[in-house]
Amino acid sequence: MALELRQQLKLSQQLVMTPQLQQAIKLLQLSRMELVDVVQQELEENPVLEEGLDVADEQEERAAAEISETGEATSSSEETGEVKEVAGEAEGVNDIDWQTYLEGYNLGGSVADSYEDDDDRPSFESMLTKKSSLNDHLLWQLNLTRISQREAMVAAEIIGNLDEDGYLKASLDEIAGVTGVEVEQVERVLGVVQDFDPPGVASRNLQECLLKQIHLLGMDDSIVESILNNHLTDLESRKYAVIAKTLGVALDDVLAAAKLISGLDPRPGSPFNQEEVHYISPDIFVYKISEEYVVVLNDEGLPNLRINSFYRNALSGGTKVDEKAGEYIQEKMRGAVWLIKSIHQRQRTIYKVTKSIVKFQRDFFDKGIEFLKPLVLRDVAEDIEMHESTISRVTTNKYVQTPQGLFELKYFFNSGISTSDGDSVASESVKSKIKEIISAENTRKPYSDQKMVELLKDQGIEIARRTVTKYREMLNIGSSTERKRHF
């Protein structure tokens, strides 16, 4: 078989991911806050890019420039013939000692206004406060405790090994090895730390935490202590009858003890580690005006980007620049123009996707979650003639403010469940109905998953028991055994 070299032409299409295209895709899937950060970073790094003014601000700036040039402002009253305010002559103004006048005149300001210069003014950081952490709270109590320096070192080591719930995660042997003291001394210091506030802190397990709180309540040698020492597992399983039979007490006494235990705090350190609430700024608004829904983009907080006029003139030949500087400006100019186009394209895409969602989910916006329809990405993609991956990126971390509340755009995309009349209902609507059924149930006799299947069937929704279980777990709702309340 002879080898032969041959040239052949072949025509094919290939998608090339240029850096500009990658940037456009990245901007498309960023959240609103992330986009603001990216824009601010580009403003700092790209000298060609600058933040422009709004239309109203540009008009005010233009008017101020005219006043500074002519020395007077053209008033509309001159055109309409209205009488202008009479201005008195400025005689005697220079005779007033304005320094003395201003020093003796109290404008009712704060004490901070009395500082002569910024050097005397306290720093802004000194006026800031922060929330006290569990570690800070315990160390503050440690500093008020009369113990030796060596014991204080051990106590500080114990405090440093607490998790966010206030439990001790290091063993006594480990603490003793780090501090170089005996295990017995570590255990004595641990008892001192466990007497700190909050009650139950520095416990090694849930049982020790609850027992410490019971001790502080003065309930030693009670039925509550017996349950915590010997029947904590049965208590978690709500086997109250078994506990009553084993302890030889009445069932009502066990229920009363269980009610008291349920009021204890199993996570004493959690109040000190609660995260701050982060408010969501919607990317787009949906307003109902008359009988129509209007979609409005939220541009508040997004800088109005534009190309710096100096560099634009430099490239157009208005200013002489050398070859390297011209190449640098040209590169930065292309990046700035592409960024502005990508942001505009992002906003237009969000607008088109939201308009399409409003069209498909009109009943939801009119009547509520019970009328949410099944919707998939392909439906919107075909409606606005875009790819499904683009729709997926647009709906990620984007929020819309509607008359029904604030929702993520992905919320409107969900699978459908068949109904008895041949129609389909959205899975989110089924979750809402499950939530309503559980909220209206008798807590002493909660509905089982099979019973909820029957109740949903009465409403025309055909659904399997395992699906009810899955939706219930997605809603973070316990089983019927876990929801049962005896008191």
Side-chain angles (χ1 to χ4, degrees):
M1 178 177 176
L3 297 177
E4 181 181 3
L5 294 176
R6 180 183 301 175
Q7 290 183 342
Q8 182 179 4
L9 292 176
K10 183 178 181 181
L11 184 64
S12 63
Q13 289 183 338
Q14 183 178 1
L15 178 62
V16 180
M17 292 289 290
T18 63
Q20 291 82 4
L21 183 58
Q22 293 178 11
Q23 182 191 48
I25 294 175
K26 178 183 177 182
L27 292 179
L28 198 60
Q29 61 189 8
L30 291 179
S31 65
R32 180 178 176 81
M33 299 303 297
E34 291 172 341
L35 177 63
V36 172
D37 293 339
V38 169
V39 171
Q40 292 296 337
Q41 183 178 357
E42 288 293 329
L43 284 171
E44 295 175 0
E45 296 178 355
N46 195 338
V48 177
L49 200 63
E50 67 177 5
E51 183 176 354
L53 299 175
D54 295 334
V55 177
D57 295 336
E58 290 181 352
Q59 293 177 353
E60 293 179 2
E61 189 181 55
R62 194 179 302 112
E66 293 176 358
I67 293 174
S68 63
E69 292 176 0
T70 61
E72 58 182 3
T74 302
S75 174
S76 60
S77 61
E78 296 179 0
E79 301 174 358
T80 59
E82 296 180 1
V83 180
K84 294 190 291 184
E85 182 181 358
V86 179
E89 299 294 335
E91 297 179 358
V93 174
N94 297 327
D95 299 335
I96 301 176
D97 187 356
W98 289 104
Q99 182 68 24
T100 307
Y101 174 78
L102 292 175
E103 288 178 357
Y105 187 73
N106 185 10
L107 296 176
S110 62
V111 179
D113 298 332
S114 62
Y115 293 104
E116 296 182 359
D117 52 27
D118 291 337
D119 294 336
D120 297 333
R121 194 183 304 273
S123 64
F124 178 72
E125 289 78 7
S126 64
M127 294 182 286
L128 296 177
T129 59
K130 70 173 184 177
K131 185 178 179 181
S132 177
S133 64
L134 177 64
N135 192 288
D136 296 335
H137 185 59
L138 294 175
L139 289 177
W140 171 72
Q141 297 176 76
L142 177 60
N143 293 331
L144 300 178
T145 306
R146 292 185 176 181
I147 56 178
S148 65
Q149 185 176 359
R150 192 174 186 83
E151 290 175 334
M153 177 189 64
V154 177
E157 185 68 25
I158 292 173
I159 294 173
N161 282 278
L162 301 182
D163 63 5
E164 59 181 11
D165 293 332
Y167 285 91
L168 180 62
K169 290 305 178 182
S171 65
L172 299 185
D173 293 333
E174 292 174 341
I175 297 176
V178 172
T179 57
V181 300
E182 299 294 332
V183 176
E184 292 77 10
Q185 187 176 2
V186 175
E187 190 166 4
R188 287 196 302 270
V189 176
L190 176 62
V192 174
V193 177
Q194 289 178 345
D195 289 334
F196 289 171
D197 180 76
V201 72
S203 298
R204 286 161 284 188
N205 50 57
L206 176 62
Q207 184 181 43
E208 186 178 22
C209 177
L210 299 179
L211 285 172
K212 190 64 180 179
Q213 296 178 51
I214 291 298
H215 172 72
L216 294 176
L217 292 174
M219 302 188 67
D220 295 335
D221 300 327
S222 63
I223 183 176
V224 177
E225 185 183 28
S226 300
I227 293 175
L228 292 177
N229 279 323
N230 306 308
H231 301 282
L232 188 59
T233 304
D234 294 334
L235 182 65
E236 293 174 352
S237 304
R238 291 181 171 83
K239 298 179 180 179
Y240 303 121
V242 175
I243 298 174
K245 183 177 180 181
T246 304
L247 296 179
V249 296
L251 180 61
D252 292 339
D253 295 337
V254 175
L255 295 177
K259 184 177 182 180
L260 189 147
I261 294 173
S262 65
L264 302 178
D265 190 359
R267 301 170 59 192
S270 59
F272 293 88
N273 296 285
Q274 292 179 352
E275 296 183 358
E276 296 182 0
V277 178
H278 296 280
Y279 296 95
I280 296 174
S281 177
D283 298 84
I284 197 165
F285 296 93
V286 175
Y287 300 104
K288 186 175 185 180
I289 301 177
S290 297
E291 294 300 323
E292 296 296 327
Y293 287 97
V294 179
V295 178
V296 180
L297 284 167
N298 182 14
D299 292 328
E300 183 179 357
L302 289 177
N304 185 21
L305 301 179
R306 66 182 182 185
I307 304 299
N308 188 284
S309 58
F310 173 79
Y311 293 103
R312 188 190 297 114
N313 295 334
L315 286 181
S316 61
T319 305
K320 289 186 178 181
V321 293
D322 57 20
E323 184 179 354
K324 290 186 177 180
E327 293 177 357
Y328 174 80
I329 296 175
Q330 187 72 34
E331 179 185 356
K332 292 298 182 181
M333 183 75 72
R334 286 194 296 266
V337 171
W338 186 264
L339 176 65
I340 295 174
K341 289 183 178 179
S342 299
I343 293 177
H344 289 169
Q345 179 65 27
R346 175 187 184 272
Q347 297 298 86
R348 286 195 299 268
T349 307
I350 294 176
Y351 178 84
K352 293 174 67 175
V353 170
T354 307
K355 287 279 290 185
S356 180
I357 290 175
V358 171
K359 183 177 70 174
F360 282 109
Q361 301 288 4
R362 178 64 186 258
D363 291 340
F364 165 81
F365 291 101
D366 286 335
K367 304 174 185 178
I369 189 174
E370 293 81 6
F371 297 87
L372 189 66
K373 295 180 179 179
L375 186 66
V376 294
L377 296 174
R378 184 184 305 170
D379 298 333
V380 175
E382 294 176 353
D383 182 48
I384 63 177
E385 298 180 352
M386 289 186 176
H387 197 271
E388 291 182 40
S389 61
T390 303
I391 309 301
S392 178
R393 292 187 179 95
V394 168
T395 54
T396 301
N397 295 325
K398 311 295 188 306
Y399 292 85
V400 55
Q401 181 69 52
T402 71
Q404 298 293 340
L406 181 67
F407 300 94
E408 189 179 6
L409 288 179
K410 276 191 176 297
Y411 176 83
F412 300 99
F413 297 91
N414 46 78
S415 58
I417 296 177
S418 302
T419 58
S420 57
D421 56 0
D423 202 354
S424 60
V425 63
S427 58
E428 288 294 334
S429 299
V430 178
K431 292 179 186 178
S432 177
K433 293 183 181 296
I434 292 175
K435 205 171 182 179
E436 290 178 2
I437 292 174
I438 293 177
S439 63
E441 69 183 0
N442 184 359
T443 55
R444 291 182 178 271
K445 295 181 180 180
Y447 296 127
S448 63
D449 292 346
Q450 184 60 40
K451 179 63 177 178
M452 284 191 283
V453 170
E454 299 172 1
L455 294 175
L456 290 172
K457 187 175 182 180
D458 295 339
Q459 300 182 25
I461 301 176
E462 301 283 349
I463 189 172
R465 184 189 61 82
R466 62 178 180 273
T467 308
V468 172
T469 304
K470 181 180 73 173
Y471 287 169
R472 176 177 54 75
E473 292 175 350
M474 292 174 65
L475 294 170
N476 293 323
I477 298 176
S479 62
S480 58
T481 305
E482 296 172 339
R483 299 197 310 272
K484 188 174 183 180
R485 296 290 180 266
H486 294 270
F487 46 83

